[in-house]
Amino acid sequence: MKKMNVESFNLDHTKVVAPYVRLVNITEGKQGDQVYKYDLRFCQPNKEHMEMPALHSLEHLMAENIRNHLKNVLDIGPMGCQTGFYLSVLNNDSFDDIIEALDKTLNDVLNASQVPACNEVQCGWASSHSLEGAQEIARAILSKKSSWSNVFSE
Ligand SMILES: [Zn+2]
């Protein structure tokens, strides 16, 4: 297969086992700063996906809460295929930090009583949310924490 510009287009999505946390790449700037990009795959590709309202609420909850547990979070954003998120972090080479922050963040989701910023001032589609749906996903991912570091079936 031709090598593509986008790293995940070179990943064989039939060979992975979700949920998992995978380091996608490290980008180094001129001053030596390093951006670590992670693939947080919550759903098995082409077998399952998150519904948009649940995915959207999970995005809000994770974006807000992960910053309490991990320094230098640049971005966390959903994949268009609705099977996971990309997380970008500056200058932190610890995989364990990512795992722990994700664990704490998903527990925050379980304990949340509302979705942050789900109103027309702070969000672009405020009517498309589901806290219950987000919590259902978080619960399922947390129950498989022991296998988060296993990306491939072998
Ligand atoms: Zn929103």
Side-chain angles (χ1 to χ4, degrees), residues 109-129:
V109 174
L110 291 187
N111 295 324
S113 54
Q114 57 182 18
V115 177
C118 68
N119 59 71
E120 293 190 6
V121 173
Q122 294 175 289
C123 172
W125 192 7
S127 64
S128 177
H129 278 282

Side-chain angles (χ1 to χ4, degrees), residues 25 51 66 74 101 138:
N25 55 29
E51 296 300 333
I66 200 166
L74 299 180

